[in-house]
Amino acid sequence: MPVKKLNKLTQAANTYKTILHAMEEWVVIVDHQTKIFFINRPYARFLGVKAEDLIGKKVTDVIENTRMHITVQTGKPERLSFQKILGSNMIANRFPIIEQGEVIGAVGTVMFHDTHEWKQINSHIKALLVEQDFKHQTRLAAEKLDTGANFHLTDIIGDSPIMKALSAKVTQVASGDVTVLVRGESGTGKELYAHAIHQLSDRAEYPFIKVNCAAIPENLLESELFGYEEGAFTGAKKGGKAGKFQLANGGTLFLDEIGDLPLLMQAKLLRVLQDREVESVGGTRPTPINIRLITATHRPLESLLESGEFREDLYYRINVVAIDLPPLRERRDDIAKLADFFLQKLSHRTGRRAPKLTAHALTAMLAYHWPGNIRELENVMEAAFYTSKDRKIGLSLLPSHFSQVAEKLSPNQTPLSLEQASSSSLKEQLSLAERNIIKAVLIECNNNRTKAAKQLGISKSTLYEKLDKHGLT
């Protein structure tokens, strides 16, 4: 009987081989023993092997998450079934091949190779995605309270020494009620650290309220922060409105871009922090508040003190513990990991396989000074993700200034691949990249070290330390 089954499969497959190889859909046929009898070339090409090399192998040893063997066992078809292969979410169909009441094999097809292809076509699949997303959100809601804080310390990517030390400091100060000032350039992730501090504190089950001081018009700031009573001004809502301080009671208030707070509001904020009570606009009676304050700024507050743009007494009130976030150029050994994180995030969102950075692209990224920090890196990866066609991100897919950076590097510098970036030789590779960058900038600045330090975004003393380290003195 097995020989008879095989002969029938052979006859059927030979008739359609040419057609099956020409199809864009991926096709695999297994016999009654779930061994691969036929696989078309497009499918084999995706798996990275030759079609003829797979003949006779168990399908479970070749195709990830396959259910072809189950189709043979049960004799039941499976339509529009999710299957994840090599990181891509695909839709597969599986049908038993039945001859005279007996299952002699099964045929499987992959019609949509990633969710990007079928999302816009199949309304049934869209419904499945919505249902899946609903279940995911329901599970997340059950796992944590909706306090407004969405990020934990574990969500912050980076295992360089400077980031490990930063995580240790955050963990240490989070448990107390001490006021924290988070400082760092734009795009370094200041808000994420505010979320993480709240999540680690005893106030984690209470509200986390955030305010961007630079985004609210000055004439609305007072009512936004302290609330207002009914009839306090024209257009005031009936019953009044609670301010951010009242909403944050018991929890954490995060004031982002505190350096942009107008002087008048600085004085009112100082009084609230000293008296631990807030009076709403149009109100006659102060309300006690119990909050933890976290502030953040990308502006140099010391310079604002000198120019009279920031109150000295408020500065000392908010700067009890300072957490200084490093710019990306000072944690270059995290770049590869961050880049991969953003690509995988986009892959999860779109259903497309995440492309890989080529050696030259990653080397140029390691050498670049990243003025926009992590936010800029995320934007660069997003643009490259959507413009990549062959699942690789080469130098040509990065903005033009990366090519200019690459030209400055030594021709003898070994390109760094993504796999190398996670290996033990990363420190040596980064050191070589740093030496080449400093050397190139010094040449460009005619050996003017003050100008070179400014272009590199580091202090002059740090530059001298690096010159000594790399033997460039």
Side-chain angles (χ1 to χ4, degrees), residues 373-388:
N373 294 294
I374 299 170
R375 188 180 296 121
E376 182 184 6
L377 174 59
E378 182 172 14
N379 291 340
V380 168
M381 289 298 96
E382 185 168 7
F385 180 89
Y386 285 110
T387 53
S388 63

Side-chain angles (χ1 to χ4, degrees), residues 11 25 29 31 35 43 56 70 122 124 202 208 237 301-302 315 468 471:
Q11 184 180 357
E25 288 80 10
I29 300 173
D31 62 18
K35 292 180 180 179
Y43 204 164
I70 296 174
N122 196 306
H124 176 67
D202 293 336
F208 175 84
K237 289 182 178 180
L301 294 184
E302 292 76 13
Y315 171 76
D468 183 59

